[in-house]
Amino acid sequence: MKEMSKKNSGSEKSAPKVTISVIKADVGGYVGHSSSHPDILKKAETMLAKAKQNKILNDFCVTSCGDDLELIMTHKKGCDSRDIHGLAWKVFEEGTALAKKMKLYGAGQDMLADAFSGNVKGMGPGVAEMEIVERKSEPIIVFMGDKCAPGAWNFPLFKMFADPFNTIGLIIDPSMHDGFKFEIHDIKKDKNFMLSTPEEMYDLLVLIGSAENYIIKAIYTKKGEIAASSSTQKLYLIAGRYVGKDDPVLIVRGQSGLPAMGEILEPFSFPHLVTGWMRGSHYGPLMPTSQKEANPTRFDGPPRVIAFGFQVSNGMLVGPRDMFDDPSYDYARKQANKIANFMRAHGPFEPHRLPLTEMEYTTLPEVLKKLQLRMK
Ligand code: 13P
Ligand code: 13P
Ligand code: MG
Ligand code: MG
């Protein structure tokens, strides 16, 4: 067993690199914010197929999570590539045009900039990317969320890579025993820094426990190999006004010195509370579902997460496998619905409703202004 881990874990230096880019945007909801229109998915597929033909992409998979259009792409152009980001932007532009024609809801919601300027970061769409040297076998999972903020991945990422009660590999796999390095993004100060587990686990938790302030951006092995990469954009900080709830994406590599697929999926058996849901202004449980069940309708939710597994093979995506399409997640879904009932019973009261500073809709300034004259 020790032998096998060693054999598979080291990336062969001479092997060519491949980049996995997951770029997403809400270009229009069908109906309301609940789902995506099939014509828009078809359009995106046609455009990416052409890019594959023209050798811009190695391979791709188009899907949706609720009202978010998800482009999963492999290529050889590295992270932050102008060609790849430009291609995604073009797909979102054409998707928006189509959405406007059908008068879909919030058409072009995440297209905050008027024109593409080289990189979609900060322009509205969400991006998670990693450049890797393919291992002997390269299993990955792409997680996609709807009706939740980017901090939604903090809890499951900590469990996957630092909690031995979740990931037994941290204890019994010699190639994982050293732990991992976490790259943290301070979203309000827009600064990044590294923390190492298990040594700095308590420092890490005091920060990432506040998922509205500190977000796990990436995770590396102690040898510096990328293991996970998330989208950390926070749209309302970009736009300075309410424009949706981010609905983040996440790429995680697994096996051979990294958490096993089952260890990567295990944290989602507990539907932890995330911010988002109705009007981006509520706490609710994150419910793991198959892609076809990711159409949040109850109070525009509850928040959803889907997981697409792939074997990356010579730059191609073998898959997807819909990883939450599994009865072993039935209980998490049932629990999520119970928690949803409990939270909903609070109506407009905190802690179902977010604290004033985190709400993305508010009438407070107007209400206070109106009351000023009456205040004694
Ligand atoms: P690897 O060490 O080969 O990743 O095996 C672990 C495993 O698959 C257990 O579920
Ligand atoms: P989305 O961020 O998924 O567009 O949802 C917005 C919303 O207000 C739901 O009530
Ligand atoms: Mg929407
Ligand atoms: Mg959405």
Side-chain angles (χ1 to χ4, degrees):
M1 191 178 155
K2 217 190 274 179
E3 283 274 284
M4 196 168 74
S5 295
K6 265 201 193 126
K7 246 192 289 168
N8 290 340
S9 65
S11 43
E12 293 135 57
K13 287 282 174 292
S14 55
K17 287 183 172 177
V18 59
T19 307
I20 307 156
S21 297
V22 182
I23 308 187
K24 50 87 36 185
D26 178 348
V27 299
Y30 169 63
V31 170
H33 290 284
S34 68
S35 193
S36 302
H37 196 281
D39 288 359
I40 293 188
L41 292 167
K42 237 181 267 159
K43 175 104 219 165
E45 247 159 54
T46 310
M47 290 178 76
L48 294 193
K50 205 166 154 205
K52 183 174 165 181
Q53 236 170 30
N54 294 339
K55 311 267 185 242
I56 297 164
L57 295 180
N58 279 7
D59 205 1
F60 69 89
C61 168
V62 172
T63 189
S64 60
C65 181
D67 59 1
D68 289 272
L69 173 59
E70 319 275 355
L71 313 177
I72 303 167
M73 301 171 282
T74 54
H75 55 91
K76 295 194 185 73
K77 292 171 184 288
C79 296
D80 291 317
S81 153
R82 191 187 173 93
D83 290 350
I84 302 302
H85 285 226
L87 170 65
W89 185 259
K90 194 96 195 84
V91 171
F92 298 147
E93 265 183 348
E94 299 216 3
T96 300
L98 202 54
K100 281 186 173 155
K101 232 187 244 169
M102 292 185 273
K103 293 176 75 173
L104 297 187
Y105 199 70
Q109 176 179 294
D110 291 348
M111 305 292 278
L112 303 181
D114 294 328
F116 180 67
S117 62
N119 190 308
V120 292
K121 275 183 199 157
M123 297 178 77
V127 192
E129 290 182 302
M130 57 167 72
E131 189 178 37
I132 59 168
V133 176
E134 263 179 42
R135 297 166 295 165
K136 240 181 163 172
S137 177
E138 189 60 65
I140 64 163
I141 299 181
V142 177
F143 291 96
M144 296 157 267
D146 189 29
K147 307 296 179 272
C148 55
W153 308 136
N154 277 13
F155 177 89
L157 277 173
F158 175 82
K159 305 264 301 174
M160 289 172 213
F161 287 91
D163 178 6
F165 281 74
N166 180 88
T167 299
I168 183 65
L170 293 166
I171 299 174
I172 63 172
D173 180 348
S175 59
M176 285 176 70
H177 202 70
D178 284 348
F180 291 92
K181 291 187 290 188
F182 287 68
E183 185 181 354
I184 308 300
H185 182 62
D186 177 338
I187 42 173
K188 303 224 162 119
K189 291 206 180 104
D190 197 21
K191 291 222 152 65
N192 288 7
F193 53 90
M194 286 282 200
L195 283 169
S196 211
T197 58
E199 315 88 270
E200 299 178 299
M201 181 188 287
Y202 299 158
D203 295 345
L204 177 69
L205 281 171
V206 75
L207 300 173
I208 63 167
S210 175
E212 293 303 291
N213 290 292
Y214 299 94
I215 298 180
I216 301 169
K217 184 172 174 43
I219 297 174
Y220 299 86
T221 64
K222 290 270 163 97
K223 288 186 182 135
E225 243 188 303
I226 184 99
S229 173
S230 78
S231 63
T232 54
Q233 294 79 10
K234 204 146 155 82
L235 290 189
Y236 80 92
L237 288 183
I238 295 169
R241 64 188 160 82
Y242 178 76
V243 276
K245 199 60 195 174
D246 313 84
D247 304 337
V249 286
L250 167 70
I251 310 166
V252 185
R253 298 169 83 187
Q255 307 285 163
S256 316
L258 299 173
M261 289 297 113
E263 291 166 334
I264 293 169
L265 295 165
E266 177 67 6
F268 297 95
S269 64
F270 172 65
H272 69 291
L273 293 172
V274 297
T275 60
W277 208 346
M278 174 58 78
R279 297 171 188 270
S281 301
H282 292 80
Y283 276 106
L286 186 62
M287 185 193 275
T289 65
S290 66
Q291 191 277 334
K292 95 178 172 330
E293 287 183 323
N295 307 293
T297 55
R298 183 188 177 185
F299 199 56
D300 288 359
R304 275 333 124 94
V305 54
I306 62 171
F308 270 18
F310 298 94
Q311 291 288 153
V312 183
S313 171
N314 301 312
M316 304 301 277
L317 290 165
V318 181
R321 273 229 63 241
D322 192 336
M323 305 302 271
F324 289 139
D325 186 5
D326 177 351
S328 65
Y329 282 89
D330 284 351
Y331 182 70
R333 295 188 266 268
K334 203 166 158 185
Q335 213 183 359
N337 277 323
K338 270 191 186 166
I339 296 165
N341 274 344
F342 179 83
M343 296 302 283
R344 283 298 303 126
H346 292 78
F349 284 79
E350 295 178 17
H352 181 27
R353 197 183 74 173
L354 296 189
L356 290 174
T357 49
E358 293 295 338
M359 265 194 318
E360 297 190 348
Y361 269 77
T362 188
T363 48
L364 189 70
E366 286 87 354
V367 171
L368 285 175
K369 203 168 141 199
K370 193 174 72 186
L371 291 179
Q372 214 154 30
L373 292 172
R374 287 190 223 171
M375 284 186 189
K376 288 191 181 140

